[in-house]
mmCIF file of all heavy atoms in Angstrom:
data_model
loop_
_atom_site.group_PDB
_atom_site.id
_atom_site.type_symbol
_atom_site.label_atom_id
_atom_site.label_comp_id
_atom_site.label_asym_id
_atom_site.label_seq_id
_atom_site.Cartn_x
_atom_site.Cartn_y
_atom_site.Cartn_z
ATOM 1 N N ILE A 2 1.470 -6.174 -12.101
ATOM 2 C CA ILE A 2 2.847 -5.972 -12.192
ATOM 3 C C ILE A 2 3.497 -5.941 -10.747
ATOM 4 O O ILE A 2 4.529 -6.585 -10.405
ATOM 5 C CB ILE A 2 3.228 -4.710 -12.894
ATOM 6 C CG1 ILE A 2 2.818 -4.920 -14.433
ATOM 7 C CG2 ILE A 2 4.646 -4.291 -12.756
ATOM 8 C CD1 ILE A 2 3.611 -5.967 -15.108
ATOM 9 N N ALA A 3 2.829 -5.137 -9.830
ATOM 10 C CA ALA A 3 3.319 -5.015 -8.505
ATOM 11 C C ALA A 3 3.265 -6.350 -7.766
ATOM 12 O O ALA A 3 4.320 -6.750 -7.118
ATOM 13 C CB ALA A 3 2.537 -4.008 -7.701
ATOM 14 N N GLY A 4 2.250 -7.134 -7.904
ATOM 15 C CA GLY A 4 2.073 -8.436 -7.270
ATOM 16 C C GLY A 4 3.160 -9.415 -7.822
ATOM 17 O O GLY A 4 3.762 -10.193 -7.065
ATOM 18 N N LEU A 5 3.382 -9.362 -9.179
ATOM 19 C CA LEU A 5 4.337 -10.257 -9.763
ATOM 20 C C LEU A 5 5.752 -9.964 -9.297
ATOM 21 O O LEU A 5 6.529 -10.850 -8.962
ATOM 22 C CB LEU A 5 4.242 -10.137 -11.292
ATOM 23 C CG LEU A 5 5.266 -10.962 -12.085
ATOM 24 C CD1 LEU A 5 5.096 -12.420 -11.810
ATOM 25 C CD2 LEU A 5 5.091 -10.705 -13.579
ATOM 26 N N VAL A 6 6.132 -8.688 -9.147
ATOM 27 C CA VAL A 6 7.444 -8.348 -8.724
ATOM 28 C C VAL A 6 7.659 -8.767 -7.298
ATOM 29 O O VAL A 6 8.731 -9.385 -6.989
ATOM 30 C CB VAL A 6 7.643 -6.769 -8.877
ATOM 31 C CG1 VAL A 6 8.938 -6.330 -8.186
ATOM 32 C CG2 VAL A 6 7.687 -6.366 -10.330
ATOM 33 N N VAL A 7 6.718 -8.491 -6.411
ATOM 34 C CA VAL A 7 6.897 -8.892 -5.001
ATOM 35 C C VAL A 7 6.936 -10.349 -4.834
ATOM 36 O O VAL A 7 7.801 -11.010 -4.174
ATOM 37 C CB VAL A 7 5.773 -8.248 -4.146
ATOM 38 C CG1 VAL A 7 5.882 -8.754 -2.730
ATOM 39 C CG2 VAL A 7 5.854 -6.750 -4.187
ATOM 40 N N GLY A 8 5.971 -11.086 -5.535
ATOM 41 C CA GLY A 8 5.945 -12.544 -5.437
ATOM 42 C C GLY A 8 7.208 -13.173 -6.014
ATOM 43 O O GLY A 8 7.787 -14.132 -5.452
ATOM 44 N N ALA A 9 7.645 -12.695 -7.196
ATOM 45 C CA ALA A 9 8.887 -13.248 -7.812
ATOM 46 C C ALA A 9 10.099 -12.991 -6.906
ATOM 47 O O ALA A 9 11.030 -13.834 -6.891
ATOM 48 C CB ALA A 9 9.096 -12.616 -9.198
ATOM 49 N N THR A 10 10.176 -11.809 -6.189
ATOM 50 C CA THR A 10 11.259 -11.542 -5.311
ATOM 51 C C THR A 10 11.339 -12.556 -4.185
ATOM 52 O O THR A 10 12.399 -13.039 -3.881
ATOM 53 C CB THR A 10 11.094 -10.143 -4.714
ATOM 54 O OG1 THR A 10 11.072 -9.226 -5.837
ATOM 55 C CG2 THR A 10 12.265 -9.827 -3.826
ATOM 56 N N ARG A 11 10.120 -12.962 -3.629
ATOM 57 C CA ARG A 11 10.188 -13.935 -2.619
ATOM 58 C C ARG A 11 10.585 -15.310 -3.105
ATOM 59 O O ARG A 11 11.301 -16.080 -2.449
ATOM 60 C CB ARG A 11 8.810 -14.001 -1.924
ATOM 61 C CG ARG A 11 8.772 -15.084 -0.767
ATOM 62 C CD ARG A 11 7.409 -15.110 -0.126
ATOM 63 N NE ARG A 11 7.336 -16.291 0.778
ATOM 64 C CZ ARG A 11 7.625 -16.302 2.069
ATOM 65 N NH1 ARG A 11 8.078 -15.167 2.592
ATOM 66 N NH2 ARG A 11 7.473 -17.354 2.735
ATOM 67 N N LEU A 12 10.097 -15.627 -4.332
ATOM 68 C CA LEU A 12 10.519 -16.890 -4.914
ATOM 69 C C LEU A 12 12.020 -16.999 -5.105
ATOM 70 O O LEU A 12 12.708 -18.081 -4.881
ATOM 71 C CB LEU A 12 9.758 -17.130 -6.276
ATOM 72 C CG LEU A 12 8.357 -17.667 -6.198
ATOM 73 C CD1 LEU A 12 7.793 -17.793 -7.621
ATOM 74 C CD2 LEU A 12 8.250 -19.007 -5.459
ATOM 75 N N VAL A 13 12.564 -15.928 -5.595
ATOM 76 C CA VAL A 13 14.075 -15.866 -5.794
ATOM 77 C C VAL A 13 14.768 -16.078 -4.523
ATOM 78 O O VAL A 13 15.757 -16.832 -4.411
ATOM 79 C CB VAL A 13 14.480 -14.650 -6.557
ATOM 80 C CG1 VAL A 13 15.998 -14.506 -6.611
ATOM 81 C CG2 VAL A 13 13.903 -14.564 -7.982
ATOM 82 N N LEU A 14 14.279 -15.391 -3.436
ATOM 83 C CA LEU A 14 14.936 -15.514 -2.138
ATOM 84 C C LEU A 14 14.779 -16.974 -1.657
ATOM 85 O O LEU A 14 15.657 -17.500 -0.942
ATOM 86 C CB LEU A 14 14.247 -14.611 -1.190
ATOM 87 C CG LEU A 14 14.628 -13.099 -1.372
ATOM 88 C CD1 LEU A 14 13.832 -12.220 -0.438
ATOM 89 C CD2 LEU A 14 16.077 -12.839 -1.280
ATOM 90 N N GLU A 15 13.642 -17.613 -1.885
ATOM 91 C CA GLU A 15 13.491 -18.986 -1.423
ATOM 92 C C GLU A 15 14.445 -19.943 -2.214
ATOM 93 O O GLU A 15 14.974 -20.916 -1.662
ATOM 94 C CB GLU A 15 12.013 -19.426 -1.691
ATOM 95 C CG GLU A 15 11.050 -18.836 -0.698
ATOM 96 C CD GLU A 15 9.657 -19.415 -0.847
ATOM 97 O OE1 GLU A 15 9.448 -20.110 -1.857
ATOM 98 O OE2 GLU A 15 8.830 -19.121 0.014
ATOM 99 N N PHE A 16 14.654 -19.711 -3.497
ATOM 100 C CA PHE A 16 15.626 -20.483 -4.232
ATOM 101 C C PHE A 16 17.039 -20.283 -3.765
ATOM 102 O O PHE A 16 17.865 -21.225 -3.666
ATOM 103 C CB PHE A 16 15.550 -20.177 -5.717
ATOM 104 C CG PHE A 16 14.256 -20.641 -6.346
ATOM 105 C CD1 PHE A 16 13.689 -19.921 -7.403
ATOM 106 C CD2 PHE A 16 13.600 -21.849 -5.963
ATOM 107 C CE1 PHE A 16 12.487 -20.351 -7.952
ATOM 108 C CE2 PHE A 16 12.448 -22.269 -6.520
ATOM 109 C CZ PHE A 16 11.891 -21.526 -7.556
ATOM 110 N N LEU A 17 17.415 -19.041 -3.412
ATOM 111 C CA LEU A 17 18.747 -18.793 -2.865
ATOM 112 C C LEU A 17 18.964 -19.178 -1.439
ATOM 113 O O LEU A 17 20.143 -19.420 -1.042
ATOM 114 C CB LEU A 17 19.042 -17.278 -3.079
ATOM 115 C CG LEU A 17 19.017 -16.706 -4.498
ATOM 116 C CD1 LEU A 17 19.237 -15.218 -4.527
ATOM 117 C CD2 LEU A 17 20.023 -17.410 -5.392
ATOM 118 N N ASN A 18 17.910 -19.264 -0.696
ATOM 119 C CA ASN A 18 17.958 -19.632 0.724
ATOM 120 C C ASN A 18 16.955 -20.804 0.994
ATOM 121 O O ASN A 18 15.870 -20.520 1.559
ATOM 122 C CB ASN A 18 17.670 -18.457 1.602
ATOM 123 C CG ASN A 18 18.633 -17.241 1.351
ATOM 124 O OD1 ASN A 18 19.665 -17.168 1.914
ATOM 125 N ND2 ASN A 18 18.183 -16.321 0.522
ATOM 126 N N PRO A 19 17.317 -21.983 0.629
ATOM 127 C CA PRO A 19 16.371 -23.111 0.847
ATOM 128 C C PRO A 19 16.155 -23.312 2.327
ATOM 129 O O PRO A 19 17.006 -23.023 3.182
ATOM 130 C CB PRO A 19 17.067 -24.264 0.128
ATOM 131 C CG PRO A 19 18.478 -23.908 0.195
ATOM 132 C CD PRO A 19 18.607 -22.389 0.028
ATOM 133 N N ALA A 20 14.961 -23.944 2.636
ATOM 134 C CA ALA A 20 14.641 -24.247 3.997
ATOM 135 C C ALA A 20 15.550 -25.341 4.569
ATOM 136 O O ALA A 20 16.032 -26.242 3.821
ATOM 137 C CB ALA A 20 13.191 -24.716 4.067
ATOM 138 N N PRO A 21 15.946 -25.210 5.792
ATOM 139 C CA PRO A 21 16.803 -26.176 6.426
ATOM 140 C C PRO A 21 16.172 -27.570 6.618
ATOM 141 O O PRO A 21 14.926 -27.604 6.652
ATOM 142 C CB PRO A 21 17.158 -25.553 7.809
ATOM 143 C CG PRO A 21 16.019 -24.750 8.113
ATOM 144 C CD PRO A 21 15.505 -24.165 6.815
ATOM 145 N N PRO A 22 16.954 -28.594 6.670
ATOM 146 C CA PRO A 22 16.323 -29.965 6.946
ATOM 147 C C PRO A 22 15.611 -29.982 8.252
ATOM 148 O O PRO A 22 15.857 -29.089 9.107
ATOM 149 C CB PRO A 22 17.561 -30.888 6.878
ATOM 150 C CG PRO A 22 18.573 -30.176 6.108
ATOM 151 C CD PRO A 22 18.377 -28.667 6.445
ATOM 152 N N CYS A 23 14.836 -31.017 8.461
ATOM 153 C CA CYS A 23 14.053 -31.155 9.642
ATOM 154 C C CYS A 23 14.938 -31.224 10.908
ATOM 155 O O CYS A 23 15.933 -32.013 10.848
ATOM 156 C CB CYS A 23 13.194 -32.419 9.519
ATOM 157 S SG CYS A 23 12.065 -32.632 10.947
ATOM 158 N N GLY A 24 14.645 -30.395 11.933
ATOM 159 C CA GLY A 24 15.338 -30.498 13.153
ATOM 160 C C GLY A 24 16.519 -29.478 13.278
ATOM 161 O O GLY A 24 17.112 -29.377 14.295
ATOM 162 N N GLU A 25 16.858 -28.835 12.137
ATOM 163 C CA GLU A 25 17.956 -27.869 12.143
ATOM 164 C C GLU A 25 17.465 -26.518 12.275
ATOM 165 O O GLU A 25 16.333 -26.152 11.813
ATOM 166 C CB GLU A 25 18.799 -28.011 10.837
ATOM 167 C CG GLU A 25 19.497 -29.380 10.716
ATOM 168 C CD GLU A 25 20.442 -29.431 9.566
ATOM 169 O OE1 GLU A 25 20.630 -28.297 8.958
ATOM 170 O OE2 GLU A 25 20.954 -30.554 9.256
ATOM 171 N N PRO A 26 18.235 -25.545 12.850
ATOM 172 C CA PRO A 26 17.758 -24.169 13.091
ATOM 173 C C PRO A 26 17.608 -23.444 11.670
ATOM 174 O O PRO A 26 18.374 -23.752 10.755
ATOM 175 C CB PRO A 26 18.820 -23.573 13.969
ATOM 176 C CG PRO A 26 20.034 -24.362 13.626
ATOM 177 C CD PRO A 26 19.596 -25.772 13.405
ATOM 178 N N ASP A 27 16.670 -22.531 11.675
ATOM 179 C CA ASP A 27 16.383 -21.779 10.481
ATOM 180 C C ASP A 27 17.141 -20.516 10.560
ATOM 181 O O ASP A 27 16.879 -19.552 11.364
ATOM 182 C CB ASP A 27 14.863 -21.491 10.473
ATOM 183 C CG ASP A 27 14.482 -20.942 9.069
ATOM 184 O OD1 ASP A 27 15.313 -20.623 8.239
ATOM 185 O OD2 ASP A 27 13.231 -20.872 8.796
ATOM 186 N N THR A 28 18.154 -20.347 9.633
ATOM 187 C CA THR A 28 18.970 -19.150 9.612
ATOM 188 C C THR A 28 18.702 -18.245 8.401
ATOM 189 O O THR A 28 19.506 -17.429 8.023
ATOM 190 C CB THR A 28 20.461 -19.586 9.613
ATOM 191 O OG1 THR A 28 20.679 -20.426 8.414
ATOM 192 C CG2 THR A 28 20.797 -20.304 10.854
ATOM 193 N N ARG A 29 17.528 -18.459 7.777
ATOM 194 C CA ARG A 29 17.224 -17.744 6.650
ATOM 195 C C ARG A 29 16.791 -16.305 6.880
ATOM 196 O O ARG A 29 16.597 -16.008 8.158
ATOM 197 C CB ARG A 29 15.997 -18.368 5.810
ATOM 198 C CG ARG A 29 16.349 -19.771 5.295
ATOM 199 C CD ARG A 29 15.137 -20.317 4.621
ATOM 200 N NE ARG A 29 14.076 -20.488 5.532
ATOM 201 C CZ ARG A 29 12.840 -20.780 5.216
ATOM 202 N NH1 ARG A 29 12.489 -20.911 3.951
ATOM 203 N NH2 ARG A 29 11.884 -20.968 6.154
ATOM 204 N N PRO A 30 16.675 -15.316 5.985
ATOM 205 C CA PRO A 30 16.214 -13.978 6.285
ATOM 206 C C PRO A 30 14.835 -14.004 6.930
ATOM 207 O O PRO A 30 14.040 -14.967 6.814
ATOM 208 C CB PRO A 30 16.178 -13.297 4.937
ATOM 209 C CG PRO A 30 17.184 -14.098 4.123
ATOM 210 C CD PRO A 30 17.099 -15.435 4.598
ATOM 211 N N ALA A 31 14.547 -12.934 7.622
ATOM 212 C CA ALA A 31 13.262 -12.821 8.349
ATOM 213 C C ALA A 31 12.052 -12.981 7.525
ATOM 214 O O ALA A 31 11.032 -13.491 7.940
ATOM 215 C CB ALA A 31 13.227 -11.575 9.190
ATOM 216 N N ILE A 32 12.154 -12.455 6.290
ATOM 217 C CA ILE A 32 10.948 -12.519 5.432
ATOM 218 C C ILE A 32 10.655 -13.936 5.026
ATOM 219 O O ILE A 32 9.439 -14.238 4.654
ATOM 220 C CB ILE A 32 11.227 -11.686 4.127
ATOM 221 C CG1 ILE A 32 9.953 -11.471 3.343
ATOM 222 C CG2 ILE A 32 12.293 -12.232 3.289
ATOM 223 C CD1 ILE A 32 10.082 -10.550 2.162
ATOM 224 N N LEU A 33 11.601 -14.834 5.116
ATOM 225 C CA LEU A 33 11.289 -16.222 4.820
ATOM 226 C C LEU A 33 11.057 -17.039 6.095
ATOM 227 O O LEU A 33 10.245 -17.892 6.102
ATOM 228 C CB LEU A 33 12.516 -16.811 4.038
ATOM 229 C CG LEU A 33 12.889 -16.167 2.687
ATOM 230 C CD1 LEU A 33 14.033 -16.867 2.074
ATOM 231 C CD2 LEU A 33 11.677 -16.292 1.752
ATOM 232 N N GLY A 34 11.883 -16.835 7.121
ATOM 233 C CA GLY A 34 11.727 -17.680 8.258
ATOM 234 C C GLY A 34 10.582 -17.198 9.170
ATOM 235 O O GLY A 34 10.053 -18.069 9.912
ATOM 236 N N SER A 35 10.281 -15.972 9.252
ATOM 237 C CA SER A 35 9.247 -15.462 10.187
ATOM 238 C C SER A 35 7.893 -15.363 9.494
ATOM 239 O O SER A 35 6.862 -15.341 10.218
ATOM 240 C CB SER A 35 9.703 -14.108 10.721
ATOM 241 O OG SER A 35 10.943 -14.163 11.328
ATOM 242 N N ILE A 36 7.811 -15.205 8.171
ATOM 243 C CA ILE A 36 6.509 -15.067 7.530
ATOM 244 C C ILE A 36 6.245 -16.333 6.728
ATOM 245 O O ILE A 36 6.946 -16.700 5.718
ATOM 246 C CB ILE A 36 6.545 -13.878 6.600
ATOM 247 C CG1 ILE A 36 6.895 -12.539 7.369
ATOM 248 C CG2 ILE A 36 5.220 -13.679 5.854
ATOM 249 C CD1 ILE A 36 7.060 -11.325 6.454
ATOM 250 N N HIS A 37 5.245 -17.072 7.159
ATOM 251 C CA HIS A 37 4.831 -18.287 6.477
ATOM 252 C C HIS A 37 4.312 -17.925 5.058
ATOM 253 O O HIS A 37 3.769 -16.817 4.798
ATOM 254 C CB HIS A 37 3.729 -18.974 7.242
ATOM 255 C CG HIS A 37 3.521 -20.360 6.854
ATOM 256 N ND1 HIS A 37 2.541 -20.756 5.874
ATOM 257 C CD2 HIS A 37 4.081 -21.538 7.236
ATOM 258 C CE1 HIS A 37 2.582 -22.080 5.734
ATOM 259 N NE2 HIS A 37 3.473 -22.577 6.545
ATOM 260 N N TYR A 38 4.497 -18.872 4.124
ATOM 261 C CA TYR A 38 4.071 -18.547 2.778
ATOM 262 C C TYR A 38 2.559 -18.329 2.604
ATOM 263 O O TYR A 38 2.112 -17.580 1.773
ATOM 264 C CB TYR A 38 4.538 -19.666 1.785
ATOM 265 C CG TYR A 38 4.006 -21.038 2.084
ATOM 266 C CD1 TYR A 38 2.788 -21.502 1.607
ATOM 267 C CD2 TYR A 38 4.750 -21.926 2.854
ATOM 268 C CE1 TYR A 38 2.298 -22.749 1.799
ATOM 269 C CE2 TYR A 38 4.319 -23.223 3.125
ATOM 270 C CZ TYR A 38 3.085 -23.616 2.608
ATOM 271 O OH TYR A 38 2.578 -24.911 2.855
ATOM 272 N N LEU A 39 1.769 -18.963 3.452
ATOM 273 C CA LEU A 39 0.302 -18.653 3.458
ATOM 274 C C LEU A 39 -0.020 -17.285 3.949
ATOM 275 O O LEU A 39 -0.837 -16.545 3.368
ATOM 276 C CB LEU A 39 -0.448 -19.775 4.257
ATOM 277 C CG LEU A 39 -0.424 -21.201 3.755
ATOM 278 C CD1 LEU A 39 -1.179 -22.087 4.678
ATOM 279 C CD2 LEU A 39 -0.993 -21.259 2.356
ATOM 280 N N HIS A 40 0.660 -16.857 4.946
ATOM 281 C CA HIS A 40 0.468 -15.444 5.421
ATOM 282 C C HIS A 40 0.985 -14.477 4.426
ATOM 283 O O HIS A 40 0.426 -13.397 4.290
ATOM 284 C CB HIS A 40 1.191 -15.321 6.780
ATOM 285 C CG HIS A 40 0.586 -16.211 7.886
ATOM 286 N ND1 HIS A 40 1.412 -16.566 8.947
ATOM 287 C CD2 HIS A 40 -0.514 -16.824 8.005
ATOM 288 C CE1 HIS A 40 0.722 -17.351 9.747
ATOM 289 N NE2 HIS A 40 -0.515 -17.557 9.196
ATOM 290 N N PHE A 41 2.072 -14.863 3.758
ATOM 291 C CA PHE A 41 2.591 -13.976 2.685
ATOM 292 C C PHE A 41 1.603 -13.806 1.589
ATOM 293 O O PHE A 41 1.482 -12.798 0.987
ATOM 294 C CB PHE A 41 3.906 -14.528 2.198
ATOM 295 C CG PHE A 41 4.507 -13.801 0.979
ATOM 296 C CD1 PHE A 41 5.128 -12.588 1.130
ATOM 297 C CD2 PHE A 41 4.336 -14.254 -0.268
ATOM 298 C CE1 PHE A 41 5.610 -11.847 0.067
ATOM 299 C CE2 PHE A 41 4.835 -13.597 -1.390
ATOM 300 C CZ PHE A 41 5.463 -12.359 -1.198
#
């Protein structure tokens, strides 16, 4: 349950804040822009 809640929260944030196109600056929240999905 805990893992599902945390993982689903990140998925929702990724859907609401998609990654920028190639070459553009990343203005997403720190949990998305600073933490790679493999490290997460």
